[in-house]
Amino acid sequence: MKERIGILPNLITSVRIVGTLALLPIRPLSAGFYWVYTLTGLTDALDGLVARATRTASALGAKLDSAADLLFYAVMLIRILPELWRVLPGAIWFAVGFVLALRLTAYAVAAVKYRKFASLHTYGNKLTGLMVFAVPYFLLTAWAVPLCWAVCCVGILSSGEELAIHLRSKEYRGGVKTIFTK
């Protein structure tokens, strides 16, 4: 059976890509930044919802979404990391490094085991993504540091869960939502 191509969801994802690139020249944490940043977040949530609602989810759409996510994270490293480096205590960066090490280990295990790049859309990973997205908004509060520690804790748990799923699985199962299901 041929896969239905989701033009609207892919268009929404493309808007996210353009919005992400538009963040490059905008001053971080300015009103304009928050407007475009919020738009990119809304399109990230909307593309999947539209694809599922119209039954047009596709492998192309999933790859486009992953590419948009990677581009978004790269731009955030360039634009937000200097702000976070200035505001957050040094100890938190060890936790961030641990999250990244776990995440990279999960990707490496999956690549060796399944002979392809594999990233799971678990509930924990979705929560982590939402919390990471919220970090620039956290900087507007007096609780920025504790909230960022919470993001690190959730990131450690979700990265560890993905690693454990890959270690337990004999074959790639892309639809796994949590380690607690078979």
Side-chain angles (χ1 to χ4, degrees):
M1 177 155 116
K2 274 192 155 180
E3 191 175 71
R4 290 176 58 188
I5 296 175
I7 294 171
L8 183 57
N10 292 348
L11 181 62
I12 294 168
T13 303
S14 298
V15 169
R16 181 161 91 247
I17 291 169
V18 171
T20 296
L21 292 172
L23 287 169
L24 284 169
I26 299 173
R27 187 173 54 85
L29 311 181
S30 66
F33 177 89
Y34 280 109
W35 274 102
V36 176
Y37 187 79
T38 301
L39 173 69
T40 63
L42 293 173
T43 57
D44 189 18
L46 192 59
D47 60 1
L49 289 172
V50 170
R52 286 186 293 280
T54 59
R55 298 178 196 242
T56 56
S58 67
L60 172 64
K63 287 179 182 173
L64 188 62
D65 184 62
S66 292
D69 288 344
L70 288 173
L71 178 64
F72 179 78
Y73 288 130
V75 169
M76 289 305 95
L77 282 173
I78 294 166
R79 301 307 289 158
I80 295 295
L81 185 61
E83 297 296 322
L84 295 175
W85 191 261
R86 187 178 53 77
V87 173
L88 297 176
I92 205 166
W93 296 105
F94 289 105
V96 170
F98 187 62
V99 170
L100 292 174
L102 273 175
R103 182 73 50 194
L104 291 173
T105 302
Y107 292 156
V109 166
V112 168
K113 209 168 185 179
Y114 314 129
R115 300 187 193 281
K116 68 177 186 174
F117 176 78
S119 176
L120 301 175
H121 288 95
T122 63
Y123 297 128
N125 284 344
K126 287 180 182 285
L127 177 60
T128 301
L130 179 63
M131 292 178 79
V132 167
F133 182 79
V135 166
Y137 301 106
F138 294 164
L139 297 179
L140 298 171
T141 74
W143 310 289
V145 172
L147 289 169
C148 288
W149 274 112
V151 174
C152 289
C153 291
V154 171
I156 288 168
L157 292 172
S158 67
S159 298
E161 178 187 44
E162 182 165 350
L163 175 59
I165 289 168
H166 288 315
L167 288 171
R168 278 182 26 176
S169 299
K170 296 199 184 324
E171 60 188 35
Y172 177 66
R173 300 178 307 146
V176 174
K177 297 296 182 193
T178 177
I179 197 167
F180 301 108
T181 59
K182 292 209 174 213

